Amino acid sequence: MEVDRGEKWGERVSSKVFSLFNSLPKKGKPQGREISVLSAFLLSSPSKELEVVALGTGTKCLPRSLRSPHGDVVNDSHAEVIARRALLRFIYSQIHIHQNITDKNEANGTNWSESVDATNLPIYLETDGSGHGKYKLKDGWTLHMYISQLPCGDASLSLPPSLRSISFGEEVSVPSNSSHHQKEHSSDSILKSNGGMYYNSTRFTGLVQRKPGRGVTTSSVSCSDKITRWNVVGTQGALLSYLLQPVYIFSITVGQSCDSSQTLSVQDNLRRALYDRIEPLYNTVARPFFVNEPLFFEAPIPPKEFQHLGSSEANVTCGYSICWNKCGLHEVILGTTGRKQGTSSKGSLSPSTESSLCKRRMLECFVSLRGNSLVDKIDATVSYKDLKEMARDYHQTSRIMKESSLFGNWLLKPVDSDRFILQV
C-alpha cells in the first residue's frame, strides 16, 4: 500500500485508532488522573481502506513470582502485547471463517473463487500441487501498528529520565557463558545466570531490556525488544506459523511526546531500536522469514489520558488493560493479576477468570482448528512449550536472532514455564 510519508499518515492512523477507542464502553479506561498506553493494529486493503482490527491498552507486567506454569494468566499486559494477542485471535477468526466458507462451498458445489464472501477476507490458502499449503495475507493487504508513545526499552532511551517510569526497561547483563541459550534454567537460577545485575543506563543502547516492576523482578523483555523480534519472525507467533506464512508490520506510527526535551525524533528512535539492531541479520535469515524494515511515522500528541508528563503526583497509571478486536473480542484485564476484571479472591483460580489472551486460551484457538490437515498431524497431548518448539523454521529463526551479539542476553523463561497440556 502506498502511504503518505508526511504528517497526514500519522494523523490518519491516530484518528482511526482513537475513533474506535472512544466508541468503546467506559469500563477499563483511565479515569481522573489515571494514564495508560494505547496500541492498535490496522489493516489496509487494496482499495486503500484502513481499519482497526485489534486494540490494547495497559502498562502492567506480572513479577516472576506471580507467573503461572499453567498458562492461565496474562504475564505481560503492556498495550503493545495486548494488541498483538488480540490480533492473533483476529487471525484465528479469519482462518475459521475461511474454513467454514470452504466447507460450505464444497457442500454446495460452489467454486471458492466465485464466492462473494471470499473477497472480504484478508487471507487466502496458498496450496501446493498436493493441495496442502499455508494461509497467507493477500497481495495488497498490509498490516500497520500504532502506539501512543515510544515502546518501553531501547526505543525510549532518549526520553528524559522523568518519563522513563513506564517507558524505560532495565538492562539485562550479558552472560559470560556462551552456551547460555542451550541450557534450561529454573526460575531461581535465571537471575544468577544473568549475573544478578540489572540496572538502568542510557549509555548502553541496543541491548535487551527487562520490563520494570514495582520493586520486583519481571521475566518479560521490553516492548522494544518484542517488536524488534516481530520484525524477524513475524507477528503471527510460533503456533500460527504452522498455518500461516509470516505476517510483518508494514508501518509503525507512534504518538509524539508532549515533552520537548526529547533528544531524538520519534522516527530516529524507532529506526535505531526496531530495525538497525537486526539489520546485520539480513543475510542469515532464511525464507519465508526475512529482516523486515517497517516505515516509521509520527502521530499527533495523544489525548491527555495517554500523555505521560513525568510527574508522579500528576500521573497514576491505570491498572486495567482493555483488549478488543474486530471479531467480537472485548475484555478488560487486571494487569496486576493477569486475569479478567472483576475476579473475586474466592474464585480467583476459576477457569471463568482466565482472559481470552492467556496462553491456555490461545492454545484452545489453535486446537479448535482440528479438521485442518496441518493441525491434525500434531499430537494434541504435547505441551504448549513443545508445540512451539516443534515449529522448527520459526524456532530456528528466533534462535538466530537471540544468539546474535545484541540479543545474546535475551531473558530465559523458567524451566517449568509453558509445560501445560490442553487435553482435547
Side-chain angles (χ1 to χ4, degrees), residues 67 185-186 190 219 359 388 411-415 417-418:
R67 292 177 70 99
H185 300 257
S186 67
I190 291 177
S219 295
K359 293 175 181 177
K388 290 179 68 175
L411 289 172
L412 293 174
K413 294 180 180 179
V415 65
S417 177
D418 299 344

Side-chain angles (χ1 to χ4, degrees), residues 107-156:
N108 295 335
T110 305
N111 188 302
W112 166 260
S113 62
E114 297 174 354
S115 172
V116 175
D117 294 327
T119 62
N120 297 326
L121 295 178
I123 61 170
Y124 73 101
L125 185 61
E126 186 178 61
T127 59
D128 55 26
S130 64
H132 299 293
K134 290 187 177 183
Y135 291 95
K136 187 176 182 179
L137 197 63
K138 288 179 180 176
D139 290 342
W141 290 78
T142 49
L143 181 67
H144 309 271
M145 186 178 189
Y146 171 84
I147 317 170
S148 59
Q149 67 168 41
L150 287 168
C152 67
D154 198 54
S156 297

